[in-house]
């Protein structure tokens, strides 16, 4: 502990704000993640508000099935990007990793039904099989997002991610998918002529498409994913903001997440510590003081362990951070360090 | 050249021992010994041992630190630990291929020098009489069986001798095991009885 205090005294600590992210003009993707209930949504909304002041256009995407963006801005968001009330360059959208498959199937409509019918009883089985592959639902929603995002031209895209486990899978899977698709295209180039011979006899795939079309589509999907994968691994274009609270489990998860991110080669250099208590010196509240002591302990640990990170300290407010004005006020503290009252 | 009778017997004994001691443990032992020699994999094996020790040391160190009270130190040790584990796995994977080749070779050599040799001997000496039995000891059809398949009538063929040796070794093995089990069980039973007595007294 005392060692930590000595290290703290040195002036090689990075500044405790997210200014560096705001200044990094090349950034295109920002992920905000952490354990559930630590204030990811509040942080990502605040970051988006600050970003909107520095960039031409910002898109905030929530991949959390719990969908808190609508809550935070007191405005309904859907699957399509929509401007946030009171801003002209900040849009938001919510995607549901689980809903997108059903949507996809529904969008396929009659064609898909027919195709499945053409395959007889096998159709349903294949469908079940395909969607039981772990991560495929996220893959779908991811592809969906990428398609939308590529057609829209936002300068920065901020992801408000689902709690830890989900996030990491979400990030990992460009890699996974790229591998799988590479394998498929390799196989299809080997067996394609044979398959075409069989299918050609009865005139293409059920549903009317030809095998080449499907393969072409797959190839283009693979290219998109490869491109995004490259961008995610580029520290100039992508960064991950870890959100935590000064408690053991949150800290533990954060450490694990940071290690995993580094194993995926995704850059992360900012930690937001939320819900800090700053009771006044003569405060009679026993619980507050005890909690403050505990928080102080973990805060010291954070500063000792993550000396190469921008550690931003955010206070616990007495009101819920909801609505544009409060979020704006809160977001100020990401840039101007909060000074606790004496 | 020692007698063929003896060779066949020793071969059967060796086969039996190899089957029962367990070829995989023998392979393991030979692999360790092989790496003690200045062989191409020796350096890798040494590295593997060092890496393993490092992992264990870090595990102990991690267990000694309270994650709650000293998170920063704990997390730093854990990072080292994770790195050490990754290193170890990498070395282990690269060695595993070599080890597999090694044990495949060993298995082949072992097969050729025991079972293979047995077949060769049986084939080569199939017409030879290992020893003769006095005329009239056994009825004619038994003589035919003993000479099976191609040894001269009235003698014992190598195949039959082979089978006889194998069953003899198996029976002796079983007998030894049974005696051993009896002896140890007796002791165990005695101990158990003592214990029961001991229990009975305070009650």
């Amino acid at each position: 502990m005392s060692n930590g205090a000595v290290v703290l005294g040195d002036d090689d600590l990075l500044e405790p704000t997210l200014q560096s992210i705001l200044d990094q003009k090349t950034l295109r993707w920002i992920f905000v993640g952490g354990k559930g209930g630590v204030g990811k949504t509040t942080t990502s909304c605040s970051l988006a508000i600050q970003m909107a002041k520095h960039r031409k256009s910002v898109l905030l995407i929530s991949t959390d099935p719990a969908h808190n963006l609508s809550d935070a801005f007191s405005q309904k968001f859907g699957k399509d990007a929509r401007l946030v009330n009171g801003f002209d360059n900040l849009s938001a959208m919510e995607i549901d990793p689980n809903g997108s498959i059903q949507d996809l199937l529904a969008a396929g409509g009659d064609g898909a039904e027919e195709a499945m019918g053409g395959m007889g009883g096998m159709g349903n089985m294949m469908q079940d099989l395909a969607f039981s592959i772990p991560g495929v639902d996220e893959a779908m929603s991811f592809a969906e997002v990428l398609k939308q995002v590529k057609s829209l031209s936002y300068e920065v895209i901020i992801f408000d991610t689902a709690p830890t486990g989900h996030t990491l899978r979400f990030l990992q899977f460009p890699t996974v998918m790229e591998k799988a698709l590479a394998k498929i295209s390799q196989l299809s180039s080997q067996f394609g002529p044979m398959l075409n011979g069989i299918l050609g006899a009865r005139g293409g795939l059920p549903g009317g498409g030809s095998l080449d079309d499907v393969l072409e589509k797959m190839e283009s999907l693979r290219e998109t994913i490869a491109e995004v994968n490259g961008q995610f691994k580029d520290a100039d274009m992508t960064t991950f903001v870890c959100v935590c609270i000064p408690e053991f489990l949150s800290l533990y998860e954060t450490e694990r997440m940071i290690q995993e991110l580094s194993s995926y080669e995704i850059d992360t250099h900012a930690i937001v510590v939320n819900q800090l208590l700053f009771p006044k010196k003569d405060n009679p509240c026993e619980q507050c003081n005890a909690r403050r002591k505990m928080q102080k302990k973990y805060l010291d640990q954070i500063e000792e362990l993550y000396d190469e990170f921008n550690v931003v300290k955010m206070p616990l407010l007495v009101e819920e951070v909801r609505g544009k004005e409060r979020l704006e006020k809160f977001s100020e503290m990401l840039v101007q360090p909060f000074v606790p009252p004496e | 050249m020692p007698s063929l009778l003896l060779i066949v017997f020793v071969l059967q004994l060796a086969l039996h021992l190899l089957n029962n001691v367990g070829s995989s443990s023998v392979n393991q032992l030979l692999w360790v010994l092989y790496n003690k020699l200045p062989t191409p994999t020796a350096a890798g094996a040494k590295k593997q041992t060092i890496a393993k020790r490092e992992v264990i040391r870090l595990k102990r160190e991690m267990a000694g630190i309270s994650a709650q009270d000293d998170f920063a130190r704990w997390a730093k040790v854990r990072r080292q630990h994770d790195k050490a584990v990754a290193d170890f796995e990498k070395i282990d994977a690269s060695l595993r291929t070599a080890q597999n080749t090694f044990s495949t070779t060993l298995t082949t050599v072992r097969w050729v020098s025991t079972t293979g040799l047995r077949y060769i001997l049986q084939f080569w000496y199939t017409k030879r009489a290992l020893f003769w039995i006095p005329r009239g000891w056994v009825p004619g059809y038994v003589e035919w069986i003993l000479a099976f398949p191609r040894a001269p009538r009235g003698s014992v063929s190598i195949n039959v001798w082979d089978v006889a040796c194998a069953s003899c070794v198996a029976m002796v093995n079983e007998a030894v095991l049974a005696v051993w089990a009896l002896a140890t069980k007796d002791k165990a039973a005695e101990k158990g009885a003592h214990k029961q007595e001991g229990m009975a007294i305070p009650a």
Side-chain angles (χ1 to χ4, degrees):
Chain A
M1 260 324 201
S2 56
N3 284 344
V6 173
V7 173
L8 275 185
D10 293 350
D11 49 7
D12 59 350
L13 271 184
L14 293 168
E15 55 175 327
T17 64
L18 292 183
Q19 190 64 48
S20 66
I21 289 181
L22 296 181
D23 292 342
Q24 200 177 339
K25 293 282 181 194
T26 53
L27 268 185
R28 186 161 159 74
W29 312 92
I30 300 175
F31 289 89
V32 180
K35 215 167 159 285
V38 295
K40 281 186 299 296
T41 303
T42 312
T43 308
S44 56
C45 291
S46 306
L47 183 60
I49 290 172
Q50 284 300 319
M51 270 291 177
K53 288 182 184 168
H54 291 77
R55 306 290 154 97
K56 279 203 287 290
S57 56
V58 178
L59 175 64
L60 178 58
I61 301 178
S62 163
T63 58
D64 189 344
H67 288 326
N68 309 314
L69 287 188
S70 302
D71 230 22
F73 282 111
S74 315
Q75 180 190 344
K76 185 77 195 119
F77 295 108
K79 279 193 305 165
D80 302 306
R82 197 172 299 167
L83 271 181
V84 178
N85 289 341
F87 294 90
D88 53 5
N89 61 349
L90 172 59
S91 313
M93 64 191 267
E94 292 178 339
I95 54 165
D96 188 349
N98 299 322
S100 58
I101 285 182
Q102 274 79 23
D103 287 353
L104 212 72
L105 284 181
D110 299 335
E113 292 282 303
E114 248 171 57
M116 293 298 174
M119 291 167 82
M122 288 293 279
N124 279 328
M125 206 175 82
M126 292 296 280
Q127 194 177 329
D128 288 347
L129 208 67
F131 295 136
S132 63
I133 300 167
V136 82
D137 47 350
E138 284 137 315
M140 292 287 196
S141 59
F142 192 78
E144 195 66 20
V145 173
L146 290 183
K147 217 163 57 191
Q148 288 202 24
V149 165
K150 276 194 94 178
S151 63
L152 308 164
S153 53
Y154 289 98
E155 222 185 317
V156 186
I157 292 135
I158 300 176
F159 282 92
D160 172 27
T161 65
T164 317
H166 270 262
T167 316
L168 294 177
R169 262 165 70 187
F170 192 77
L171 287 177
Q172 194 183 15
F173 92 7
T175 318
V176 174
M177 193 130 165
E178 203 182 323
K179 270 184 199 157
L181 284 176
K183 205 80 220 157
I184 289 175
S185 15
Q186 186 201 337
L187 275 180
S188 64
S189 66
Q190 284 170 353
F191 293 109
M194 193 183 83
L195 279 177
N196 261 340
I198 297 168
L199 294 169
R202 43 164 306 212
L205 286 177
S210 81
L211 195 62
D212 285 340
D213 278 353
V214 176
L215 293 182
E216 210 169 284
K217 258 182 208 157
M218 248 179 215
E219 190 55 33
S220 78
L221 183 62
R222 198 181 71 80
E223 266 162 31
T224 313
I225 286 176
E227 188 193 331
V228 172
N229 206 1
Q231 293 192 3
F232 279 4
K233 288 184 176 174
D234 185 351
D236 287 332
M237 301 189 81
T238 307
T239 194
F240 197 103
V241 178
C242 303
V243 184
C244 68
I245 52 177
E247 274 176 23
F248 175 69
L249 277 179
S250 179
L251 216 56
Y252 178 87
E253 290 277 330
T254 306
E255 164 69 12
R256 220 188 57 171
M257 190 163 71
I258 288 172
Q259 293 308 316
E260 264 184 84
L261 286 172
S262 73
S263 76
Y264 303 150
E265 300 168 50
I266 291 167
D267 172 72
T268 169
H269 61 267
I271 296 178
V272 177
V273 187
N274 264 329
Q275 300 182 6
L276 282 171
L277 288 175
F278 293 104
K280 293 192 178 85
K281 277 265 155 57
D282 53 346
N283 195 310
C285 166
E286 234 177 272
Q287 284 91 342
C288 309
N289 290 329
R291 197 144 187 94
R292 165 72 189 147
K293 220 176 121 197
M294 189 200 78
Q295 290 192 341
K296 184 91 184 75
K297 181 176 98 177
Y298 286 119
L299 207 54
D300 285 345
Q301 301 286 329
I302 289 174
E303 275 171 357
E304 190 187 336
L305 191 58
Y306 304 114
D307 50 358
E308 288 158 10
F309 283 70
N310 295 105
V311 179
V312 188
K313 290 166 217 139
M314 304 294 271
L316 180 70
L317 302 185
V318 289
E319 63 199 8
E320 265 189 284
V321 186
R322 282 172 73 177
K324 180 176 174 265
E325 283 73 30
R326 282 177 185 166
L327 276 170
E328 269 179 333
K329 226 176 97 197
F330 188 75
S331 74
E332 288 296 324
M333 290 185 285
L334 287 174
V335 190
Q336 296 293 327
F338 172 73
V339 182
E342 279 307 306
Chain B
M1 178 168 165
S3 131
L4 201 53
L5 287 172
L6 197 65
I7 291 178
V8 170
F9 177 76
V10 168
L11 206 59
Q12 278 301 337
L13 188 68
L15 259 173
H16 184 83
L17 286 178
L18 276 175
N19 285 340
N20 281 296
V21 169
S23 47
S24 67
S25 51
V26 173
N27 280 4
Q28 203 73 39
L29 185 72
L30 284 177
W31 171 248
V32 171
L33 289 178
Y34 176 74
N35 282 319
K36 290 269 185 268
L37 303 172
T39 47
T41 52
K46 200 175 261 172
K47 255 196 245 160
Q48 188 194 27
T49 325
I50 292 170
K52 203 186 219 162
R53 252 182 232 149
E54 176 72 3
V55 168
I56 292 170
R57 186 186 69 78
L58 286 169
K59 262 205 173 92
R60 283 215 188 105
E61 194 178 336
M62 209 161 71
I65 301 171
S66 157
Q68 274 85 356
D69 295 338
D70 221 349
F71 186 82
R73 204 151 73 83
W74 183 84
K76 276 175 189 163
V77 174
R78 196 185 146 99
R79 284 177 196 174
Q80 283 177 20
H81 166 261
D82 288 351
K83 212 169 142 267
V85 167
D87 282 351
F88 170 75
E89 267 162 15
K90 220 160 77 194
I91 297 172
D92 198 47
S94 69
L95 268 184
R96 186 139 297 159
T97 349
Q99 194 177 352
N100 279 343
T101 321
F102 181 79
S103 39
T104 317
T105 319
L106 260 190
T107 311
T108 315
V109 167
R110 189 187 308 124
W111 192 89
V112 168
S113 60
T114 53
T115 315
L117 186 60
R118 205 184 89 200
Y119 287 148
I120 290 171
L121 286 177
Q122 283 182 357
F123 177 73
W124 199 254
Y125 294 107
T126 179
K127 282 188 180 160
R128 174 148 154 200
L130 283 198
F131 57 88
W132 297 88
I133 44 171
R135 184 178 284 261
W137 266 25
V138 288
Y141 56 89
V142 178
E143 268 183 2
W144 181 81
I145 291 174
L146 288 179
F148 190 83
R150 289 200 285 170
R153 191 83 181 255
S155 71
V156 171
S157 74
I158 190 165
N159 297 61
V160 172
W161 177 243
D162 207 66
V163 172
C165 285
S167 0
C168 184
V169 167
M171 275 191 310
V172 169
N173 176 53
E174 215 146 281
V176 167
L177 279 183
V179 168
W180 171 261
L182 267 179
T184 47
K185 209 190 233 167
D186 260 8
K187 260 184 206 159
E190 258 174 53
K191 255 187 204 167
H194 273 299
K195 236 183 211 167
Q196 270 190 352
E197 270 174 40
M199 298 263 280
I201 291 164

